Amino acid sequence: LKMMVFLRAFALICLAPVHAAFVTQADYDLARDASLKTAEVCEDFEVLDAEQKARAKENLQLSSAGNILRTLLEEAADAEEIAELFIAKAQEPAFAVQIAGPLVASFVLMILYFTCCCWCGC
């Protein structure tokens, strides 16, 4: 129950205010400025053809698989629904494994290194 309260509070804090637009004029201005800066910085680079662009896009999409926030934003209609979807997603065991798995694995590998490899090398 405490975990549910914590997750709900976390989701509401992260996604407040509820009635805010997802994309504002400032976001459009930032994107325009970034495009102009990109054109300025990358003018010396070789332009990719259509096939190279398609492969690069596919690689980028494959590497971003499992993006939790992107999935929530695509599925939800408003901020309240995002909070509800996040809470539902956070209750799944796979979510905890996905988030904590690399950290636990790093500790296990560190312990194995210091107990086996480090002592054998000395």
Side-chain angles (χ1 to χ4, degrees):
L1 184 61
K2 288 183 181 183
M3 184 66 164
M4 288 293 300
V5 172
F6 170 77
L7 289 175
R8 182 157 178 87
F10 176 77
L12 291 176
I13 289 171
C14 290
L15 304 172
V18 174
H19 301 291
F22 286 117
V23 180
T24 63
Q25 184 61 40
D27 296 326
Y28 288 118
D29 294 341
L30 180 65
R32 185 192 66 239
D33 293 344
S35 295
L36 293 174
K37 189 67 172 176
T38 301
E40 178 185 326
V41 171
C42 297
E43 65 187 1
D44 296 335
F45 289 102
E46 183 180 319
V47 178
L48 299 176
D49 62 12
E51 182 181 330
Q52 290 172 324
K53 285 182 182 179
R55 275 189 277 138
K57 182 178 180 180
E58 182 180 342
N59 287 338
L60 182 61
Q61 289 174 340
L62 287 174
S63 65
S64 68
N67 187 335
I68 298 165
L69 293 178
R70 177 180 169 207
T71 305
L72 292 176
L73 289 172
E74 288 175 348
E75 293 176 359
D78 59 8
E80 287 182 8
E81 190 175 348
I82 291 175
E84 292 170 5
L85 288 172
F86 176 76
I87 290 170
K89 182 82 169 169
Q91 291 176 344
E92 297 175 3
F95 179 79
V97 170
Q98 183 180 18
I99 299 298
L103 182 64
V104 171
S106 68
F107 283 118
V108 169
L109 289 174
M110 193 180 334
I111 291 168
L112 286 174
Y113 172 76
F114 285 120
T115 57
C116 298
C117 302
C118 184
W119 291 108
C120 293
C122 294

